[in-house]
Amino acid sequence: MLDKLRKMFDDEVDSKDLAKERLKLVLIHDKINISPELLEEMKEELLEVVSKYIEVEANRLSIDLNQDDQSIALVANIPVKELRRRSLEDVSESD
Amino acid sequence: MDGKAIVITSGKGGVGKTTSTANIGTGLAQLGKEVVLIDADIGLRNLDVVMGLENRIVYDIVDVVEENCRLEQALIKDKRYSSLSLLPAAQTRDKTAVSKEQMVEVCKRLKAEADYVLIDCPAGIEQGFQNAIAGADEAIIITTPEVAAIRDADRVIGMLQAEGLGEPEVIINRIRMDMVNKGDMMDIEDMIEILAIKLLGVVPDDQEIVISTNKGEPIILDDSNSQSAQAFKNIVHRLEGEKIPLMSLEEGFMEKFKRILGLG
């Protein structure tokens, strides 16, 4: 009980939830055999490509591997600032 | 008879493979089944001491495959149940002393005489593991509520699937409900969800196991019915196809009281 109260006040996470999160991540990485460094590299390149077309908030971009049942998905969350209306502008300029 | 061979494996060492093999085997013999235990951990034999049969070893599995003796000569009869016997590992040889094919052959011959052949697998995923699983029809995974043990269990499940042992079941060993309740240990649902595998049983962490191992008497023989003995009995009945619900591992009133007061 004292532990519970202490945790409530300290805003401390249960260590079992930490274990679970770490375990899930390590299992996904074991399975697809991709290191966090490689994932980071991919993130940079992805950002480069997407930025050609859309203005994005680079610092809020996140890439994660999620697992549900048997399949693993690469989930990218890329907040958009503004669509670059380049193609439209290109058209109007050429008129 | 046409029994089945079940390998008991974990990947990680020290999670309770040998203790589980001894208890499940003894439990099946208590039900009148013909059971042979194989210690596949060549070079590091342990099952003999956990069973309390270490003084009776004359021949071992390497003697059998090298034809220094007949298979029947190497089998050690249990002190308590005549339908239970042990095929010990060699202590002075290494994993290469027995090949996969030889292991398959030994299992086949034993299955012809027994209802159950239980194979105590060495830790790791190298040749000793490959040999141990070669002759098995089914697999039981032992794990504990720790990140490293579950990671290894997951890896082993993948390797078993690759070998055609596609539907292993898991025993979660050494769970401590007081820690689970405090949020300091992963609970059963968490682990089953992560491993995506069928649960065969849950064995609580129990100091009685240490005492029983000291004596060389599997805990399942214990009449006082400690929680771990009951857990192994339930596992044995489930192997026999009975539907036994998970026993309540909740703390007793006094334990809870002590924990709340910080005395636990």
Side-chain angles (χ1 to χ4, degrees):
Chain A
M1 184 127 99
L2 291 174
D3 279 342
K4 278 257 159 63
L5 280 175
R6 186 170 49 80
K7 275 178 190 163
M8 273 169 65
F9 286 120
D10 291 357
D11 214 13
E12 207 179 302
V13 186
D14 278 348
S15 73
K16 75 131 186 175
D17 291 325
L18 272 179
K20 206 172 142 184
E21 283 317 305
R22 291 178 57 222
L23 183 58
K24 278 188 173 167
L25 212 65
V26 88
L27 287 185
I28 290 171
H29 285 289
D30 283 353
K31 272 184 192 143
I32 64 162
N33 211 2
I34 187 170
S35 68
E37 290 82 45
L38 217 63
L39 208 59
E40 193 58 32
E41 211 173 290
M42 185 164 74
K43 187 170 144 182
E44 296 299 321
E45 278 184 47
L46 205 61
L47 197 64
E48 225 170 87
V49 173
V50 174
S51 298
K52 275 194 204 164
Y53 303 91
I54 305 168
E55 196 177 342
V56 299
E57 297 186 38
N59 52 353
R60 284 178 54 209
L61 175 135
S62 71
I63 290 185
D64 287 303
L65 289 160
N66 285 347
Q67 183 174 33
D68 68 280
D69 291 332
Q70 294 304 311
S71 63
I72 295 171
L74 183 70
V75 180
N77 196 334
I78 313 176
V80 175
K81 260 192 200 157
E82 183 180 1
L83 287 175
R84 292 194 200 280
R85 308 188 60 177
R86 195 186 59 183
S87 53
L88 274 177
E89 284 158 16
D90 288 350
V91 174
S92 56
E93 271 166 25
S94 67
D95 270 350
Chain B
M1 235 176 283
D2 199 13
K4 59 181 167 188
I6 306 175
V7 64
I8 290 149
T9 184
S10 66
K12 191 174 176 304
V15 297
K17 281 180 298 296
T18 303
T19 305
S20 300
T21 307
N23 279 289
I24 294 169
T26 305
L28 286 165
Q30 282 177 323
L31 299 182
K33 301 290 161 190
E34 288 286 335
V35 184
V36 180
L37 309 178
I38 302 180
D39 189 345
D41 202 348
I42 296 167
L44 290 170
R45 80 174 166 217
N46 285 138
L47 188 53
D48 55 334
V49 287
V50 175
M51 292 294 295
L53 299 173
E54 67 275 19
N55 292 331
R56 303 184 175 200
I57 298 177
V58 182
Y59 298 109
D60 57 50
I61 188 167
V62 175
D63 290 318
V64 173
V65 302
E66 291 181 351
E67 296 180 358
N68 299 328
C69 70
R70 284 177 291 112
L71 179 56
E72 298 71 33
Q73 285 177 297
L75 292 177
I76 302 164
K77 278 250 175 293
D78 183 63
K79 298 185 250 188
R80 297 139 295 218
Y81 294 97
S82 60
S83 66
L84 177 62
S85 51
L86 167 71
L87 179 57
Q91 181 67 344
T92 54
R93 300 291 292 273
D94 65 34
K95 314 285 177 202
T96 56
V98 178
S99 73
K100 260 189 183 183
E101 293 71 28
Q102 288 167 327
M103 194 68 186
V104 172
E105 179 61 24
V106 168
C107 287
K108 204 173 112 192
R109 284 168 62 193
L110 291 173
K111 281 197 294 182
E113 306 291 332
D115 297 302
Y116 287 94
V117 176
L118 302 184
I119 306 156
D120 184 20
C121 184
I125 50 175
E126 294 80 25
Q127 195 188 340
F129 165 80
Q130 299 292 348
N131 284 351
I133 68 171
D137 307 306
E138 294 174 17
I140 296 173
I141 311 276
I142 313 289
T143 192
T144 58
E146 293 158 71
V147 177
I150 294 176
R151 180 194 205 175
D152 288 3
D154 186 77
R155 178 108 166 86
V156 164
I157 292 166
M159 298 186 77
L160 290 172
Q161 280 166 346
E163 293 291 321
L165 290 165
E167 287 180 33
E169 298 187 359
V170 69
I171 294 175
I172 296 169
N173 195 15
R174 293 208 201 112
I175 198 148
R176 287 186 52 178
M177 287 320 289
D178 56 335
M179 292 191 73
V180 171
N181 291 340
K182 275 196 245 176
D184 281 332
M185 186 176 269
M186 282 185 279
D187 55 44
I188 299 159
E189 293 77 42
D190 291 343
M191 291 182 270
I192 294 304
E193 181 204 320
I194 288 170
L195 290 175
I197 170 178
K198 208 177 145 213
L199 181 65
L200 180 61
V202 179
V203 182
D205 191 34
D206 186 354
Q207 59 186 26
E208 293 296 324
I209 297 242
V210 178
I211 298 168
S212 82
T213 309
N214 288 344
K215 297 182 192 162
E217 289 170 4
I219 190 87
I220 202 163
L221 294 162
D222 184 16
D223 291 330
S224 69
N225 257 342
S226 60
Q227 276 203 322
S228 55
Q230 190 56 51
F232 278 119
K233 280 179 187 159
N234 289 350
I235 287 166
V236 166
H237 284 282
R238 288 188 200 110
L239 279 176
E240 276 288 285
E242 292 174 48
K243 298 253 178 290
I244 311 272
L246 276 187
M247 65 188 221
S248 166
L249 290 172
E250 291 307 319
E251 300 163 275
F253 174 75
M254 277 314 287
E255 284 77 32
K256 198 165 196 166
F257 189 67
K258 278 193 205 158
R259 179 168 62 80
I260 288 168
L261 289 177
L263 303 170

